[in-house]
Amino acid sequence: MAKKDLKYFMRERKEEIVTVPGPETLKDDEGNVIELEIKVLDQATITKINDNYRKRSIATDKKGQPYIANGEVVFKTERDTARATRHIIVEALQYPNLKDKELMEYYDCHDITEMPLLVFPKSDEYSHILRSVFAALGIGEYEEQATENDIEDAKN
């Protein structure tokens, strides 16, 4: 039996930036589609962002009494998937940098999770950004769910 070597799992940690075309509606002075730069986030970062938009609390009835099941208090979990998705977009996008102070001031925005909706206000632009970022991050099945939620948010 061959010796199992762990060196294959000791990979160098390096930042990876990928370049993808932006939406057709964003062109430079020469009429070329602007290129987006996307940082490939590691799974730990994505999980941490998602966890920050999850709230766990005791489930209660209309009178405020906690639900009990099998002698244990029942908890409910609320997720703000749309905001978590937008936060992931902000963290991943390097160009444009949606956390840039000047850009945020231009849009009079103080919450980075609102920036994708302000910078890419049209549904097709936002969908393009979402698909591009999530493809670069390797998030596939989540993309469809997030797209529906975020397109609805973008419309409102």
Side-chain angles (χ1 to χ4, degrees), residues 64-106:
Q65 298 298 315
Y67 287 113
I68 308 290
N70 300 324
E72 305 246 340
V73 174
V74 176
F75 286 89
K76 65 179 178 180
T77 302
E78 298 174 49
R79 290 180 175 85
D80 193 340
T81 313
R83 282 190 70 208
T85 298
R86 293 192 306 263
H87 192 144
I88 290 168
I89 289 170
V90 169
E91 290 301 320
L93 269 181
Q94 301 301 290
Y95 182 76
N97 176 0
L98 300 182
K99 295 187 281 188
D100 180 81
K101 185 180 177 191
E102 185 180 350
L103 191 61
M104 290 185 75
E105 284 176 3
Y106 176 82

Side-chain angles (χ1 to χ4, degrees), residues 33-134:
V33 172
I34 294 182
E35 296 282 313
L36 305 173
E37 293 176 11
I38 302 169
K39 178 166 85 173
V40 179
L41 304 175
D42 59 35
Q43 186 57 48
T45 301
I46 294 168
T47 299
K48 185 176 179 182
I49 291 170
N50 280 319
D51 287 349
N52 286 337
Y53 294 94
R54 187 176 69 205
K55 185 174 87 174
R56 193 167 184 246
S57 57
I58 296 173
T60 57
D61 62 19
K62 291 179 183 177
K63 295 180 182 177
Q65 298 298 315
Y67 287 113
I68 308 290
N70 300 324
E72 305 246 340
V73 174
V74 176
F75 286 89
K76 65 179 178 180
T77 302
E78 298 174 49
R79 290 180 175 85
D80 193 340
T81 313
R83 282 190 70 208
T85 298
R86 293 192 306 263
H87 192 144
I88 290 168
I89 289 170
V90 169
E91 290 301 320
L93 269 181
Q94 301 301 290
Y95 182 76
N97 176 0
L98 300 182
K99 295 187 281 188
D100 180 81
K101 185 180 177 191
E102 185 180 350
L103 191 61
M104 290 185 75
E105 284 176 3
Y106 176 82
Y107 285 103
D108 193 26
C109 183
H110 306 287
D111 179 354
I112 62 168
T113 64
E114 296 302 314
M115 285 299 288
L117 298 174
L118 296 170
V119 176
F120 308 105
K122 297 178 182 173
S123 291
D124 59 336
E125 287 179 349
Y126 185 85
S127 294
H128 179 90
I129 298 301
L130 182 69
R131 281 191 311 274
S132 298
V133 169
F134 276 46

